[in-house]
Amino acid sequence: MTRSVDRKSPMSPGLLKVVDRARRDPEAKMYSLARLIDEDALKRAYGRIRKDAAAGVDGITKEQYGQQLEENIRSLHERLKSGRYRHQPIRRVHIPKGPGKTRPIGISTIEDKIVQRALTEVLEAIWEQDFLPCSFGFRPKRSAHDALRAVDHMAFREGITWILEADIQAYFDSVDRHKLVEMLQNRIADKSFMRLVGKCLHVGVLDGEEFSRPDEGTAQGSIISPVLGNIYLHNVLDVWFDKEVRPRLEGHARLIRYADDFVIGFASKTDAVRVMALMAERMAAYELKLHPDKTRLVPFGRPRDNEPSGKGPATFDLLGFTLFWRRTRKGGWALGMKTRKARLQRALQNLSEFCRRQRHDPLKEQRTSLTRRLEGHFNYFGVNGNMRALRYLAHQAERVWYKWICRRSQRRRFTWKRFRDRLKVFPLPEPSIRVQIWAK
């Protein structure tokens, strides 16, 4: 697929040349990439780090680092050029994932984030010319909603009757670093640049007081991990399916992937069964494993118009949503999307925990922070047909906020009526459809 280069891009002229060459010659190897990590690239990387980015093991925030930005960037650049740069250990934190479960996230220092961001800029300049249209995760001008739109089109217009719903166990922790480096070396011949990438890969982890140095995987939460993860699955899954699997199938099939979440739609059950068997072997060859309970084949053909039931044959989950066939007001069928039950429960738990922690803050401050969380949820989950789940969350948010306000003091009772009066002064955002997945 030919891509044009955006001449208005904030990329440096040298990086635009890399984009041009990578686009023109998919087999070309890139030299002299390390020189692109200059002071300007490091400043761009610093500017793209979030203002509220968490501090790493050194405790330095972005604001503190920026107080002497010129001096710090100059020092960092000198250490990168001379080979004296060392990636500091990643601070590991555990965030709630579900009932009794947590997800480990790695937090790098601000300086290491700058290096990772600069390296990511170069890697994306090369591999964005190679990535296939089936990939949506962590890519410019692509989003999870675009992936859902692709699923909607596939299910509604491409004759799909079966869905392979797949889940890779502990994907980022399972990436084979040796195989990943080989994939990178297929396009990169600059040893200095590869050494910098290696320093971001082979890094220690500080979990509380326990230090470890994992042999496999890329740290979840690090800036460079998404593009490295995309490169790995581009080779393991996307190219393999597009070049080797799909041409041998009897009927139409389509892969849709967002980072390590993916589904494959099939017009033929025979094809679906064959590919499911091949998929496990393919993943095992690259040290990956499909979750046995979360990987399954689902019958998902569009129901007939005279189908008496109001629901389709089955459901599957993708990107926090449960997808299913539903009746439209005109009696036809459309793809429905609702917030996945586990994700909705997790959102409520997080809201309740937030309200508990902040219950002694002024109501105005509580409302501002709670609004920000609800808006973020509505902006993502506010898709066509999901209003019931949005309203449920908004209603429960009011209830848990009231619950924890009542526990601020035992001396003065905060009645529901008084709380409702306060909501008129400090209203929470109204749930609404923010994203159109399918046309009205």
Side-chain angles (χ1 to χ4, degrees):
M1 179 179 177
T2 301
R3 296 178 176 87
S4 60
V5 178
D6 183 2
R7 296 300 176 184
K8 296 182 180 180
S9 169
M11 292 181 180
S12 66
L15 205 54
L16 286 172
K17 290 181 180 179
V18 171
V19 172
D20 275 328
R21 189 174 181 215
R23 175 175 53 82
R24 290 196 314 267
D25 187 354
E27 305 297 326
K29 288 194 174 185
M30 305 296 166
Y31 296 84
S32 301
L33 295 177
R35 66 179 178 81
L36 298 175
I37 312 298
D38 54 19
E39 291 188 23
D40 287 339
L42 297 174
K43 289 177 184 177
R44 285 199 304 274
Y46 170 83
R48 291 172 183 170
I49 296 174
R50 289 171 43 185
K51 293 181 180 179
D52 60 347
V57 294
D58 60 1
I60 297 176
T61 65
K62 179 181 179 181
E63 180 181 2
Q64 292 170 332
Y65 191 90
Q67 289 174 358
Q68 294 179 306
L69 184 60
E70 294 292 336
E71 181 180 338
N72 288 333
I73 292 294
R74 191 178 305 113
S75 171
L76 175 58
H77 185 233
E78 287 297 327
R79 281 179 281 131
L80 289 170
K81 286 199 305 179
S82 63
R84 293 182 293 111
Y85 165 76
R86 296 292 182 270
H87 196 297
Q88 297 189 60
I90 289 175
R91 180 169 66 91
R92 175 166 286 174
V93 297
H94 298 266
I95 62 174
K97 184 180 180 181
K101 297 181 180 179
T102 61
R103 171 176 295 179
I105 296 294
I107 301 177
S108 304
T109 66
I110 295 299
E111 184 168 85
D112 294 331
K113 287 175 182 176
I114 292 172
V115 174
Q116 291 177 26
R117 178 70 70 185
L119 292 171
T120 297
E121 184 180 54
V122 177
L123 292 172
E124 287 180 345
I126 299 171
W127 266 275
E128 271 301 314
Q129 319 313 312
D130 297 348
F131 288 154
L132 301 181
C134 64
S135 169
F136 291 88
F138 304 107
R139 296 185 58 191
K141 299 180 181 180
R142 289 187 161 223
S143 68
H145 294 136
D146 292 325
L148 293 171
R149 291 186 184 99
V151 172
D152 176 73
H153 189 279
M154 174 182 71
F156 197 77
R157 301 183 184 278
E158 298 180 18
I160 295 301
T161 59
W162 287 84
I163 292 287
L164 171 56
E165 177 188 358
D167 182 270
I168 303 176
Q169 286 185 305
Y171 170 65
F172 286 98
D173 293 332
S174 304
V175 169
D176 187 309
R177 293 178 182 173
H178 296 292
K179 288 184 171 64
L180 174 59
V181 169
E182 290 176 1
M183 295 172 187
L184 294 173
Q185 289 174 338
N186 287 334
R187 284 293 245 162
I188 298 175
D190 185 334
K191 293 182 179 180
S192 297
F193 185 89
M194 288 301 301
R195 275 196 295 270
L196 287 176
V197 174
K199 289 179 179 180
C200 295
L201 273 176
H202 303 284
V203 62
V205 176
L206 188 64
D207 192 345
E209 297 182 355
E210 182 179 344
F211 179 81
S212 62
R213 195 176 290 275
D215 296 326
E216 300 298 334
T218 65
Q220 278 197 75
S222 70
I223 290 174
I224 199 171
S225 285
V227 68
L228 293 178
N230 265 343
I231 291 170
Y232 199 71
L233 278 183
H234 169 74
N235 289 274
V236 174
L237 180 60
D238 302 357
V239 174
W240 170 74
F241 181 79
D242 189 61
K243 304 298 182 183
E244 298 183 32
V245 175
R246 193 165 59 176
R248 294 177 172 84
L249 299 180
E250 297 175 359
H252 175 66
R254 184 176 180 186
L255 165 68
I256 296 172
R257 179 175 69 82
Y258 187 94
D260 58 322
D261 291 334
F262 68 93
V263 296
I264 306 178
F266 299 90
S268 163
K269 181 180 179 181
T270 302
D271 289 340
V273 173
R274 286 174 55 200
V275 173
M276 186 173 182
L278 290 172
M279 186 67 67
E281 297 177 7
R282 177 68 177 179
M283 292 293 170
Y286 288 85
E287 308 302 327
L288 302 177
K289 184 178 180 181
L290 295 174
H291 197 295
D293 299 326
K294 298 180 181 179
T295 301
R296 62 193 182 115
L297 279 178
V298 178
F300 206 73
R302 183 167 62 175
R304 297 185 300 271
D305 289 340
N306 60 357
E307 180 71 37
S309 172
K311 293 184 178 180
T315 68
F316 67 93
D317 295 329
L318 181 67
L319 299 175
F321 290 90
T322 296
L323 285 75
F324 58 97
W325 286 108
R326 64 172 187 84
R327 284 285 192 184
T328 66
R329 293 180 179 178
K330 295 182 179 180
W333 291 95
L335 191 66
M337 299 180 187
K338 63 182 180 181
T339 309
R340 187 182 174 196
K341 184 177 180 180
R343 181 65 70 89
L344 188 58
Q345 291 175 343
R346 192 194 316 169
L348 287 172
Q349 289 173 354
N350 291 341
L351 286 174
S352 181
E353 177 61 21
F354 163 77
C355 291
R356 183 191 69 80
R357 293 195 313 267
Q358 308 296 324
R359 65 186 183 275
H360 295 297
D361 293 348
L363 287 183
K364 186 176 181 180
E365 293 182 11
Q366 290 189 47
R367 182 258 180 188
T368 299
S369 297
L370 190 56
T371 293
R372 185 166 59 249
R373 284 163 172 76
L374 288 173
E375 287 286 356
H377 185 94
F378 296 157
N379 286 340
Y380 182 76
F381 287 100
V383 305
N384 312 64
N386 196 30
M387 182 58 79
R388 179 181 295 181
L390 301 182
R391 286 173 176 160
Y392 176 78
L393 182 76
H395 176 68
Q396 293 300 319
E398 290 185 0
R399 292 175 63 87
V400 297
W401 193 21
Y402 172 68
K403 167 188 171 181
W404 288 110
I405 289 176
C406 287
R407 298 189 181 188
R408 298 199 323 172
S409 173
Q410 298 297 325
R411 291 178 299 176
R412 185 178 182 185
R413 180 174 175 80
F414 196 80
T415 65
W416 180 255
K417 180 180 182 303
R418 185 180 169 205
F419 175 70
R420 296 297 297 180
D421 290 339
R422 286 296 180 92
L423 281 179
K424 295 177 182 178
V425 181
F426 303 118
L428 293 178
E430 291 289 332
S432 61
I433 299 304
R434 314 287 177 90
V435 181
Q436 299 293 328
I437 298 298
W438 37 266
K440 293 183 178 180

